[in-house]
Amino acid sequence: MATRRIPRPAAVAVALCAAALLAACAGASRAGCRKHVAKITDYGAVGDGKTLNTAAFAKAVADLSARARRGGAALVVPPGKWLTGPFNLTSHFTLYLDEGAEILASQDMKDWPLIAPLPSYGRGRDEPGPRYSNFIAGSNLTDVIITGKNGTINGQGQVWWDKYHAKELQFTRGYLLELLYSDNIIISNVTFVDSPSWNLHPTYCTNVTISGVTILAPVHSPNTDGIDPDSSSHVKIEDCYIVSGDDCIAVKSGWDQYGIKFNMPSQHIVIRRLTCISPTSAMIALGSEMSGGIRDVRAEDNVAISTESAVRVKSGVGRGGFVKDIFVRRLSLHTMKWVFWMTGNYGQHPDNSSDPNAMPEVTGINYSDVFAENVTMAGRMEGIPNDPYTGICISNVTAQLAPDAKELQWNCTNIKGVTSAVTPKPCPELGAEGKPCAFPEEELIIGPHKLPKCTY
Ligand SMILES: *[C@@H]1O[C@H](CO)[C@@H](O)[C@H](O)[C@H]1NC(C)=O
Ligand SMILES: *[C@@H]1O[C@H](CO)[C@@H](O)[C@H](O)[C@H]1NC(C)=O
Ligand SMILES: *[C@@H]1O[C@H](CO)[C@@H](O)[C@H](O)[C@H]1NC(C)=O
Ligand SMILES: *[C@@H]1O[C@H](CO)[C@@H](O)[C@H](O)[C@H]1NC(C)=O
Ligand SMILES: *[C@@H]1O[C@H](CO)[C@@H](O)[C@H](O)[C@H]1NC(C)=O
Ligand SMILES: *[C@@H]1O[C@H](CO)[C@@H](O)[C@H](O)[C@H]1NC(C)=O
Ligand SMILES: *[C@@H]1O[C@H](CO)[C@@H](O)[C@H](O)[C@H]1NC(C)=O
Ligand SMILES: *[C@@H]1O[C@H](CO)[C@@H](O)[C@H](O)[C@H]1NC(C)=O
Ligand SMILES: *[C@@H]1O[C@H](CO)[C@@H](O)[C@H](O)[C@H]1NC(C)=O
Ligand SMILES: *[C@@H]1O[C@H](CO)[C@@H](O)[C@H](O)[C@H]1NC(C)=O
């Protein structure tokens, strides 16, 4: 964690402008910077943490949306605590949270209208039927930026977690941020805390950059996944710090028969320089909802601390779809239950009309250059009977065992693959090959080469 850099966008922009010619500076600042700028207080909002500002946010977005077509628009949230119900974003739009700005989600369920389930899920994930709104949402948008000086979006999820545990919820909890059918998204230098359920959920999106984001939730809060790219392509997640009660990242693509029918994979995804703390879940999960397919995920230079497993495949009979061409390298893992974990019997089917003959294809998963310490078990590798997980390659791995480590370090069933230079010695199903596992040489181009630096 000592390696995290502190983003100071304002200071950097000022320094750049001071050093550059005025013309060059104006040119550089144009990209992504918005012509029309308003503060949430312009719409009557009060930042006392008590006044409900739902109408102000709706009015602000509607007003700026009308102007955003001509030069873009930014909504600035100044320091203060801004309580609101859910609100939607618009295109060519920046939501800018100043230092000390905190948007608080209302804890009154009446402020969270019901919305339709996602077509690739067929129902809400906690409960059948419709679901509660997401806190911040957008559909069919382009060019959206959520940034600022590390302001906070706080889901105040405790009331939802309590009701979820008490089985008092009739509908599925909302996510903290959900964008549907949208492209050219940047989420950078903001903090998300205490989501009612998943935190960031880009779904049916392309060209998404998530950079320098902090996500915090209690490690026993239910389903508080950090970032879930779902049926989305060209997604880059970098330099993020996530502490959560569920997977730090979960790449998904729809649920059983609904996901198979919707048929939209998650692909071309980069996850790098992530720090994850998730004692009961994975640093990166592939699935469990993977029925539209997951391919070309590249994870590198990631750190996990007190996390259950590293890059985990979760699937099962009835899910169909595929998980393939997954590349993982340079992991640094500290206190892990399982360094490698693949699951072939992940249940949780949406309903009993899922197809028991829909078998997932899991193949082509390469891991290299992994260092792990205080490990309970190196590999728990479970494919599916008559549908083995194949093409697994693991090279250059050192797993140093915990004092209470399991005697059996690798347990492999319905798995086929190769290994080289792996300690402790792998199971016979992962035979010694003596060759490093490949990682694609060409970098994926996702989002802008440099993030726009704009201050408002
Ligand atoms: C942003 O704020 C969060 C929450 O206060 C803090 O944990 C994190 O370190 C901050 N990030 C930076 C880069 O300052
Ligand atoms: C976030 O901070 C980093 C580091 O200061 C900076 O390079 C980047 O441009 C910032 N992101 C945005 C969208 O301003
Ligand atoms: C947000 O937009 C969706 C449609 O995309 C709509 O169903 C929902 O009611 C809107 N929510 C708010 C709070 O305006
Ligand atoms: C959003 O885009 C999807 C996919 O193109 C389309 O089916 C849907 O009708 C659009 N929704 C709106 C509100 O335009
Ligand atoms: C499916 O589940 C519903 C509700 O649990 C039950 O009423 C129905 O009998 C089930 N159908 C089949 C074919 O098992
Ligand atoms: C093996 O992985 C370690 C990181 O765990 C790395 O430092 C080392 O350079 C790698 N060795 C080779 C031969 O690539
Ligand atoms: C090793 O892991 C155990 C939990 O399995 C934990 O209690 C202990 O503090 C860890 N030791 C170190 C040195 O991190
Ligand atoms: C090994 O894995 C199989 C399949 O999941 C399981 O049935 C078995 O109990 C495991 N063996 C040990 C010793 O954990
Ligand atoms: C993984 O690496 C091995 C060894 O270099 C290579 O044969 C295999 O094709 C790689 N897998 C993928 C999905 O590229
Ligand atoms: C992806 O984002 C970059 C930078 O915002 C842009 O130049 C590029 O055209 C986008 N690609 C697509 C397919 O929208």
Side-chain angles (χ1 to χ4, degrees):
M1 272 186 290
T3 57
R4 299 189 64 229
R5 277 176 220 106
I6 299 175
R8 291 255 179 262
V12 173
V14 168
L16 280 178
C17 288
L21 293 172
L22 198 61
C25 195
S29 66
R30 227 181 300 132
C33 298
R34 311 304 192 182
K35 187 169 165 191
H36 308 281
V37 180
K39 283 192 172 154
I40 191 63
T41 43
D42 298 343
Y43 303 91
V46 180
D48 60 1
K50 295 191 185 95
T51 308
L52 190 65
N53 295 300
T54 313
F57 275 93
K59 225 176 351 166
V61 174
D63 176 45
L64 290 171
S65 159
R67 291 189 266 158
R69 269 170 213 286
R70 299 175 311 276
L75 176 62
V76 176
V77 181
K81 290 182 185 295
W82 310 90
L83 182 70
T84 175
F87 64 95
N88 283 339
L89 304 175
T90 187
S91 293
H92 308 294
F93 180 76
T94 297
L95 178 65
Y96 189 90
L97 286 94
D98 212 338
E99 191 175 354
E102 185 168 14
I103 302 179
L104 296 178
S106 164
Q107 294 185 311
D108 185 343
M109 265 144 233
K110 287 197 294 297
D111 294 328
W112 297 67
L114 296 177
I115 59 171
L118 291 165
S120 55
Y121 281 71
R123 48 165 281 181
R125 208 175 163 284
D126 301 339
E127 298 293 338
R131 53 192 185 128
Y132 286 108
S133 299
N134 302 292
F135 181 50
I136 300 181
S139 293
N140 306 69
L141 304 183
T142 186
D143 180 18
V144 177
I145 303 178
I146 300 176
T147 189
K149 296 183 191 156
N150 198 25
T152 299
I153 294 170
N154 184 341
Q156 304 208 93
Q158 188 70 53
V159 288
W160 297 94
W161 307 330
D162 291 347
K163 284 189 166 30
Y164 176 79
H165 284 309
K167 298 192 177 3
E168 282 171 9
L169 289 175
Q170 204 185 333
F171 303 105
T172 297
R173 292 162 289 160
Y175 304 133
L176 203 46
L177 172 70
E178 182 175 86
L179 295 171
L180 306 180
Y181 306 105
S182 297
D183 60 28
N184 295 303
I185 311 297
I186 296 171
I187 304 168
S188 173
N189 305 337
V190 284
T191 293
F192 295 85
V193 304
D194 292 352
S195 176
S197 180
W198 299 348
N199 278 272
L200 311 191
H201 191 213
T203 309
Y204 325 134
C205 289
T206 58
N207 223 4
V208 179
T209 303
I210 301 173
S211 170
V213 164
T214 302
I215 299 176
L216 307 172
V219 293
H220 293 293
S221 52
N223 308 103
T224 48
D225 292 10
I227 304 173
D228 291 13
D230 201 337
S231 293
S232 288
S233 73
H234 294 91
V235 179
K236 179 165 69 182
I237 299 168
E238 59 186 17
D239 301 305
C240 292
Y241 178 81
I242 303 178
V243 182
S244 90
D246 208 323
D247 303 319
C248 286
I249 310 278
V251 182
K252 297 179 180 286
S253 62
W255 206 357
D256 283 39
Q257 70 272 28
Y258 305 104
I260 293 170
K261 186 163 176 222
F262 200 74
N263 192 27
M264 189 182 279
S266 272
Q267 55 189 346
H268 313 309
I269 294 178
V270 170
I271 303 162
R272 60 190 180 195
R273 300 187 302 269
L274 166 73
T275 299
C276 165
I277 299 177
S278 176
T280 63
S281 296
M283 169 163 66
I284 300 171
L286 306 165
S288 63
E289 299 88 347
M290 41 61 67
S291 303
I294 296 173
R295 73 156 77 83
D296 191 16
V297 177
R298 306 175 186 191
E300 53 187 333
D301 300 304
N302 297 310
V303 175
I305 301 159
S306 294
T307 293
E308 196 176 47
S309 66
V311 181
R312 177 183 180 194
V313 176
K314 296 182 185 172
S315 187
V317 170
R319 292 184 181 270
F322 55 83
V323 177
K324 60 185 174 194
D325 304 334
I326 309 297
F327 305 94
V328 180
R329 68 177 170 191
R330 299 194 300 251
L331 301 182
S332 174
L333 310 172
H334 311 271
T335 302
M336 306 293 288
K337 203 157 174 188
W338 297 291
V339 177
F340 299 96
W341 191 11
M342 294 191 181
T343 303
N345 61 355
Y346 206 90
Q348 287 197 344
H349 301 295
D351 49 51
N352 53 12
S353 59
S354 74
D355 174 4
N357 298 314
M359 300 301 251
E361 181 194 6
V362 178
T363 189
I365 306 189
N366 279 12
Y367 301 89
S368 58
D369 306 339
V370 177
F371 172 78
E373 60 180 358
N374 203 21
V375 165
T376 309
M377 185 171 176
R380 177 173 171 187
M381 311 292 275
E382 308 162 2
I384 297 174
N386 304 315
D387 180 31
Y389 293 179
T390 63
I392 291 152
C393 183
I394 305 180
S395 68
N396 184 27
V397 175
T398 304
Q400 296 176 353
L401 302 187
D404 63 343
K406 299 257 191 233
E407 202 165 316
L408 179 69
Q409 274 299 309
W410 288 84
N411 186 6
C412 303
T413 45
N414 305 301
I415 286 285
K416 284 186 192 142
V418 294
T419 53
S420 83
V422 173
T423 318
K425 189 177 185 293
C427 54
E429 291 81 355
L430 299 171
E433 172 88 347
K435 212 167 77 174
C437 307
F439 192 99
E441 274 168 30
E442 292 223 341
E443 204 177 314
L444 280 171
I445 308 295
I446 299 168
H449 177 59
K450 273 198 164 166
L451 290 177
K453 287 184 205 292
C454 321
T455 48
Y456 301 101

